[in-house]
Structures are given as structure tokens and as C-alpha cells.
Amino acid sequence: SRCRVAVLGATGLVGRTMIQVLEERNFPATEIIPLASSRSAGQVVKFQGKEFITQLPSREVFRGVDIALFSAGATASKEWAKVAAEEGAIVIDNSSAFRMDPEVPLVVPEVNPEAIFKADGTPELIIANPNCSTIQMVVVLKPLHDRFGLKRVVVSTYQSVTGKGKAGRDALESELAGEKQEKFTHFHQIAFNAVPQIDVFTDNGYTKEEMKMVNETRKIMGDDTISVSPTTVRIPVYGGHGESLNIELDRDFEIDEVRELLRTAPGIILQDDPSASLYPMPLTSYERDEVFVGRLRRDYWHPRTLNMWIVADNLRKGAATNAVQIAEVVIAKKG
Ligand code: 2RA
């Protein structure tokens, strides 16, 4: 059934990608209600050949909205998610505001789509979209967890500057143009560099980005016995986040069995032929919706353990596409 879709943060990099993905996937929206802060209100947004004017969020604006996609930061989500839900919208929130709230499901459709729905079969009113670096990892961990049991993951990330939206992209561009950029990557230059800090440090020496990977993975997978040991690093690339995964399973495996399992798993494309130097890279994952897997190999130096390298477009599967896929599951059930 056709529905009215609001997008809060419509003029940001993720918000614009959400609208692009809704159009590409022919999401059955009768109209888009683009919402943004006063800085961006008034901007024109195109959708399915029609033009919509970006407005300020308000309770009235959410009245009659069926799906509200949020990507305007945690403060805006805390201010507007419950209001939108009270007005009848199903809120799919890409911010960190509700991800660890026990009342709010944290969903990757390939992993835990059932979490979208209450016991009575109706959708939860607020559904949280996980952090980009977590989404691409759990898409790959899910089939392994189901088949072999999952004990521990050591993950090192190589994250695109677009994880920080337009600010990240503009920072890299201005540095490459020779202008010094002060406010990005914690006052370090990002061009020609690697910065092992994404978001702020917490008391335990890990950054918020790293603790998101630890905590969100356990919630999405529904398994608090999984241990995740993360290091998240910003690098000056476009196109997606890369992640090196060292995965210890509960049961041993044949590497060809793992390869076949991943080749046929939902949301995954295997790009793995060392003889042809074929493996995933950010530039070849750009604007794609799948998680690309390569460099699959046994870890000969630790039992029941394998290594792999995965890449996904952090603006798409890492944010916008995952949110739209959740919306597709919601409306498919509504019929
Ligand atoms: C980043 N994952 O890459 C965080 C937020 N998108 O900056």
C-alpha cells in the first residue's frame, strides 16, 4: 500500500542517500516529506519526478506520516522520534539515540528481521538502524554464527571519511586542495594519513565507535557470549568502510564450506580470487548495497579461526539502504 514517508535530515549525506535509495528501489511512497533544521529548510528535494520543499520538523508535520526515516543526529532523534510515533509514524532511526534502549529493536534485515515486530505482529513504533561499521560485520557473522557457533571476532576497520557525512568529505577535499582543515579527525590531517580514533574515547581506552561494535553486535545477534575486540581507524577514502576480520568459531570448518556458505548468504557478494588479485575495495563497492567479502583464508596459527576482508558502502548498506530495507519489511507485513 502506498505510504507517506518523512525524512528527517533530508539534506544531509545520509538523508539524501535515503531518498535516492527509496527512488531506486521503487519504494511505494506517494510523497516524501523532507525535514531539516532551519539551516536547510526551504531546499528543494526531487523524488519520482516531483519536487518537495524541505520543512522544519513539527508535530503537525508528522501527522498522517506512515514511515519516518531519521538521520539528523541523536539530539534531533531524541526530540522528534516519540512525537512522530505518537502521530502514527513508524520511526526508523539511523542515529545512536535508541540503539541500546532495551525497548527498541536494533535491526539488520538479513540478521534479525523478526525483531521489527511485537508479539501481536504489529511493528515496533521506533526501530534503530545500527552503526555502519556494525551492519556490514553482522551480515557476514550471521551465517557463520548459525552454522558453526561464534566465539570471538577481532576487527580492525578502515573507515571512509564519508562516515562523518559532508564534513568528512569536505575536510579531505580541502586538505587535498592544500588548505589546512582544523575541525575534522580530532585536529589531525586526514589526507595521506590514518587516524586511529573515530568519535571520542571512553573510560576504558576504547572509542565510542569501537564500543558500538562490541555492544551492538551482541544485541543484533542476540548472543551476549560473542566477544568483539575492535580497533576503528579513519582513512582518506571514498566508497565504503573496509574491515579486517579474524573470526574464531565454536566448531571447526572446511574453508570451502565457509566459502560456499558466504557465497549463498543473503546480502553478501564474494569477491575472492587471489590469482586474479580479486578482492573487495572501497572504490569498487561505491553506491552498491551488498557486503563484499574476500581474502577468505584459514588462520593457520589459531584453531577454528579464519581471516577475511569485507567492504560495504557505509552510506548505503551501512545506513540508508539498511533503513529502507527495514521499511520494506514493515510495509510488506502491513500489506
Ligand atoms: C563514522 N560510523 O564512520 C561513524 C558514523 N557514521 O564516522
Side-chain angles (χ1 to χ4, degrees), residues 131-133 159-160 162-164 198 209 212 234 241 314:
N131 190 40
C132 40
S133 49
Q159 298 186 218
S160 166
T162 60
K164 290 309 285 180
I198 296 177
E209 184 78 359
K212 285 174 184 176
R234 185 76 73 195
H241 290 345
N314 52 291

